[in-house]
Amino acid sequence: MKPVFAHTKAVTSNSQSPHVRLRSINLGDCRWTRGFWADKFKLCTEVMMPHMGTILKGDVGHALNNFKIVLGLRSGEHQGFSWHDGDFYKWIEAATYVYAFNRDDAILRDLDEVIGIIGRAQEADGYLHTEIQIKGIRHFSNRKYHEMYNYGHLFTAACIHHRLTGRTNLLGIAVKSADLLYRLFQPQPKELARFGFNQTQIMGLVELCRTTGDRRYLALAEIFINNRGKSPVVEDSSTEGYPIGDMVQERVPLREETEAVGHAVLALYYYAGAADVYAETGEQALIDALDRLWENVVNRKMYVTGAVGQTHYGASTRRDKIEEGFIDEYMMPNMTAYNETCANICNAMFSHRMLGVKGQSKYADVMELVMFNSALSGISIDGKHYYYANPLRKIHGARDYSKMNTESPDRLPYLECFCCPPNLVRTVAQLSGWAYSLSDNGVSVNLYGGNQLQTHLLDGSELKLKQETNYPWDGAVRLTVEACRETPFEILLRIPDWAEGSKIQLNGRDAGVEAKSGAFAVIKRTWKPGDVVTLDLPMEATFVEGHSRIEEVRNQVALRRGPLVYCIETPDLPKDARIVDVSLQGSARLQVEHLPDFLGGVSVIKTQVQLRCDRVEDRMYRAVKKPVCKACDVQFVPYYAWSNRGDSEMTVFVPVSWS
């Protein structure tokens, strides 16, 4: 294969995109050094990624086995859902990120072997989908087989693999498949107009365009955007066995849409892909729609943890059946909240791309909220057990998990629907690439955590920064300039939306810039090696209430400290006490204590709650006078760390009395 034109080693390679305000740094320019994300990345390198590889290459996950069955290297039937190939490609992407940091040749040899098997399973015309190949199903005959989803993750993994290893073996497979899609879909035949509903292929095609320089792939990505909403919504042979309409965002063309609808993962992959397309085309109607949809998601349909997808089964406002997705605005159930881990991660992916396009800190606020809460809640402290759904409340006996195909009372070592675990692991592995961005004349600090940055500004000049902090347990951040150019440039510091009263100092004195919460504070000057910027983010524990239209949390509060949302579990209550009997006084003192040997090292919030002692539930309704309660000292733990101490009840929101 001829050399290609990858401009950067960035995860989202927007360095040459004409319509962005912040551009990605190369993966590897920022390395976590100590603290929260350094610990998580170490766990990802040593446990999460290799353990998952063992699952997917073995007889439990069976992903590699499916490719071997196609080749006749082993007998048996296809295992896993139709999208299992795509989940395997996500793991390849995660392994590539890890290799980029540790340069372990064993990872590269393993990937070469796996890619060799995948390449041999590909058909001569570029077609690749193990379930369809094994079962002899006609290609592109029914969208329920998620062919586009698998291709999208193949394209993305291939671009990342090429950028970070220099190899073209996986990229060649991806290009061959993308060329097949172009031949089939570029003429826009009517029978394929509704096909690409699980829209990872849009992001993947844009990255292929950025990687190879072939703008046919960008044109094809636009076709997939334009196809949604232009055809009559009817059941036919291509939709048999899969929901239609709002479920797959095909009622309304994207540029006319006013609300997020349908399956949350499908929607947010779609929006993220459209943001990638906008970065290349600058189409105003496209970004106007994405602005509306982002605001609708974040301000009307997102949980306090950054999670999205309110329900497993429900209906859209246009009365289409939907699954795993968005319902009405402000309709936010706690116990039955679906909040698929993938959807939460997709929420962060969408915001990451909007951060690049718009350059506003509010998008990084959502990225951080998700990663510290509703993303990490999907994996256990030991890195080996997973949640698919992430509710905000769990009550013993309230749900029959035997009737559910994805929800579970505890994290599981393997999920039959395995899309979420590799999605989370690849995101943890790449997160240092989100920590900074390059502005036209400097650098933005998007995420806080101990790290070392060695990059080049857009003019080619070298920049070295050292970030020292114990964030999120402490709000003190110290940023030291270690090398820089001799002419002025800017450092943008994200002041989180919760951080009112933040203070910035430069070399021990007031920096003279406004530290407005929910915005970037911009320090522009002629910097010198040894300059030190310190940021003090207030980290007091606070009560958080929901909008008055959220009936499920009216007269309730959650606890938050910095970027972390907290919850209370029954292991921190007296024996036999129940979550439903916990309430708070508005005057309760919230005391923070760091416990380095508890749940992997966390800060807990200690406070006093009221426990109701006289609840009787022998009927739907009963008369009540003043309840009998007793005071109890308890601790709240970070939401991401719940369900690591056995089967327990949990709640994020608790009733509050202000009297």
Side-chain angles (χ1 to χ4, degrees):
M1 186 174 179
K2 294 181 179 180
V4 292
F5 303 94
H7 299 291
T8 71
K9 295 181 179 180
V11 174
T12 302
S13 185
N14 63 2
S15 66
Q16 302 297 314
S17 302
H19 302 285
V20 296
R21 296 187 178 183
L22 293 176
R23 302 174 191 274
S24 298
I25 59 171
N26 287 336
L27 193 79
D29 284 2
C30 173
R31 293 174 178 259
W32 303 119
T33 53
R34 64 179 302 275
F36 188 93
W37 287 119
D39 292 343
K40 292 298 179 185
F41 181 75
K42 183 174 185 290
L43 184 69
C44 180
T45 300
E46 297 177 356
V47 179
M48 292 181 187
M49 187 279 292
H51 175 73
M52 187 172 293
T54 299
I55 291 174
L56 290 171
K57 291 180 293 180
D59 292 337
V60 175
H62 204 74
L64 185 58
N65 287 346
N66 288 333
F67 289 94
K68 291 179 178 179
I69 294 171
V70 172
L71 291 172
L73 298 177
R74 64 177 290 150
S75 60
E77 298 179 351
H78 179 274
Q79 292 187 29
F81 286 96
S82 301
W83 49 89
H84 205 45
D85 292 357
D87 301 333
F88 191 40
Y89 300 142
K90 287 185 232 174
W91 174 81
I92 291 174
E93 184 183 342
T96 304
Y97 293 135
V98 171
Y99 168 77
F101 286 98
N102 69 11
R103 293 294 167 180
D104 183 351
D105 287 338
I107 295 176
L108 205 56
R109 290 192 299 270
D110 184 34
L111 289 177
D112 281 345
E113 180 180 354
V114 166
I115 292 167
I117 294 170
I118 293 171
R120 283 153 50 204
Q122 187 174 34
E123 297 183 9
D125 67 351
Y127 190 83
L128 186 62
H129 188 296
T130 61
E131 181 185 27
I132 286 179
Q133 290 171 281
I134 291 168
K135 295 180 179 179
I137 300 169
R138 183 166 60 89
H139 302 176
F140 305 107
S141 60
N142 191 316
R143 62 187 185 179
K144 71 180 180 181
Y145 294 111
H146 289 72
E147 285 150 301
M148 295 298 105
Y149 173 90
N150 288 346
Y151 283 126
H153 286 300
L154 170 62
F155 299 161
T156 298
C159 291
I160 295 300
H161 182 264
H162 171 68
R163 291 173 195 160
L164 299 181
T165 71
R167 280 166 157 73
T168 58
N169 47 353
L170 188 58
L171 185 63
I173 297 169
V175 166
K176 194 174 179 180
S177 291
D179 288 346
L180 170 65
L181 295 189
Y182 188 82
R183 291 194 300 272
L184 292 175
F185 286 87
Q186 189 277 335
Q188 302 184 54
K190 183 178 180 181
E191 65 271 15
L192 295 178
R194 298 169 63 197
F195 213 83
F197 73 95
N198 198 343
Q199 305 279 37
T200 64
Q201 81 278 9
I202 298 176
M203 288 181 286
L205 286 165
V206 174
E207 291 303 336
L208 271 180
C209 173
R210 292 166 170 170
T211 302
T212 66
D214 191 336
R215 293 188 69 83
R216 291 181 307 152
Y217 303 139
L218 176 62
L220 184 56
E222 287 190 275
I223 287 172
F224 281 120
I225 290 175
N226 298 340
N227 276 351
R228 308 313 291 167
K230 77 174 187 181
S231 302
V233 178
V234 295
E235 291 190 26
D236 56 32
S237 60
S238 71
T239 66
E240 182 181 355
Y242 202 82
I244 62 176
D246 278 339
M247 169 64 174
V248 293
Q249 298 83 42
E250 65 176 348
R251 284 282 181 199
V252 179
L254 179 64
R255 294 165 183 82
E256 300 173 17
E257 186 58 275
T258 58
E259 66 166 328
V261 297
H263 195 290
V265 175
L266 273 55
L268 289 160
Y269 274 146
Y270 185 18
Y271 306 158
D276 280 339
V277 169
Y278 170 81
E280 305 303 320
T281 67
E283 183 194 342
Q284 190 62 43
L286 202 55
I287 195 60
D288 287 346
L290 294 176
D291 283 338
R292 290 194 304 271
L293 291 165
W294 188 90
E295 290 291 340
N296 182 255
V297 170
V298 171
N299 292 317
R300 292 175 175 82
K301 298 189 179 185
M302 186 177 78
Y303 284 87
V304 69
T305 59
V308 290
Q310 299 116 295
T311 189
H312 194 162
Y313 299 107
S316 71
T317 55
R318 303 180 187 108
R319 293 177 291 180
D320 281 335
K321 175 187 175 182
I322 65 101
E323 298 176 9
E324 303 180 331
F326 295 110
I327 48 178
D328 288 16
E329 296 175 354
Y330 303 109
M331 189 178 290
M332 313 294 289
N334 289 310
M335 188 176 67
T336 59
Y338 198 66
N339 295 346
E340 179 185 344
T341 303
C342 273
N344 307 335
I345 293 167
C346 291
N347 193 24
M349 291 172 63
F350 179 32
S351 282
H352 179 235
R353 284 159 170 78
M354 292 296 284
L355 172 68
V357 166
K358 307 284 283 190
Q360 298 174 20
S361 69
K362 65 182 182 181
Y363 303 109
D365 286 344
V366 173
M367 287 160 39
E368 178 180 74
L369 179 66
V370 169
M371 290 310 302
F372 274 121
N373 298 284
S374 55
L376 279 186
S377 60
I379 196 165
S380 59
I381 296 296
D382 69 4
K384 296 182 179 180
H385 297 79
Y386 315 107
Y387 265 143
Y388 191 96
N390 297 271
L392 274 70
R393 181 171 296 148
K394 178 189 166 190
I395 300 172
H396 287 323
R399 309 192 77 190
D400 184 354
Y401 290 99
S402 68
K403 296 179 180 178
M404 301 174 189
N405 61 354
T406 48
E407 294 101 316
S408 59
D410 201 358
R411 290 189 180 85
L412 299 174
Y414 180 71
L415 306 176
E416 183 183 6
C417 181
F418 204 66
C419 55
C420 297
N423 212 359
L424 178 54
V425 171
R426 71 167 178 159
T427 307
V428 172
Q430 69 176 269
L431 192 63
S432 62
W434 294 11
Y436 297 89
S437 298
L438 301 176
S439 67
D440 288 343
N441 188 34
V443 64
S444 66
V445 186
N446 306 324
L447 300 176
Y448 296 110
N451 64 60
Q452 188 81 37
L453 175 69
Q454 184 172 350
T455 192
H456 290 85
L457 300 181
L458 294 185
D459 67 350
S461 61
E462 183 182 36
L463 176 64
K464 291 184 181 179
L465 299 177
K466 179 172 68 174
Q467 187 179 152
E468 299 169 282
T469 181
N470 196 29
Y471 191 86
W473 314 123
D474 189 288
V477 180
R478 178 183 175 92
L479 201 66
T480 303
V481 178
E482 296 187 327
C484 64
R485 73 188 193 195
E486 296 180 352
T487 53
F489 65 93
E490 60 190 19
I491 294 178
L492 289 71
L493 298 173
R494 180 178 64 91
I495 311 300
D497 56 0
W498 47 263
E500 293 185 13
S502 297
K503 297 179 180 179
I504 304 173
Q505 290 192 324
L506 173 62
N507 297 328
R509 298 182 178 180
D510 187 286
V513 297
E514 183 181 8
K516 182 181 178 181
S517 61
F520 281 112
V522 182
I523 308 176
K524 183 177 181 181
R525 70 189 301 266
T526 301
W527 298 89
K528 304 184 300 295
D531 282 343
V532 175
V533 176
T534 56
L535 173 62
D536 183 15
L537 300 170
M539 296 285 283
E540 66 269 17
T542 60
F543 294 134
V544 177
E545 68 174 349
H547 192 283
S548 63
R549 285 179 58 187
I550 307 175
E551 294 186 21
E552 294 86 349
V553 299
R554 192 174 295 139
N555 299 321
Q556 299 177 52
V557 293
L559 270 58
R560 179 170 177 170
R561 181 174 183 261
L564 293 170
V565 175
Y566 281 71
C567 66
I568 188 166
E569 291 188 274
T570 44
D572 297 312
L573 295 176
K575 185 179 178 181
D576 298 327
R578 302 189 64 204
I579 288 296
V580 294
D581 291 326
V582 175
S583 63
L584 276 163
Q585 295 291 324
S587 59
R589 182 186 177 200
L590 305 178
Q591 182 179 354
V592 177
E593 181 179 349
H594 191 71
L595 304 177
D597 299 319
F598 178 60
L599 295 175
V602 299
S603 291
V604 300
I605 299 176
K606 295 191 172 184
T607 190
Q608 188 176 83
V609 300
Q610 296 293 313
L611 278 179
R612 184 172 175 181
C613 308
D614 65 340
R615 188 185 299 275
V616 177
E617 295 188 323
D618 57 348
R619 65 190 74 173
M620 277 281 282
Y621 305 99
R622 59 182 295 114
V624 64
K625 296 183 179 179
K626 185 176 181 180
V628 177
C629 299
K630 67 177 181 180
C632 180
D633 294 329
V634 300
Q635 65 184 15
F636 285 66
V637 301
Y639 172 74
Y640 79 81
W642 87 279
S643 190
N644 280 278
R645 293 176 285 169
D647 190 11
S648 63
E649 294 189 341
M650 176 276 297
T651 188
V652 170
F653 280 93
V654 296
V656 64
S657 172
W658 299 104
S659 59

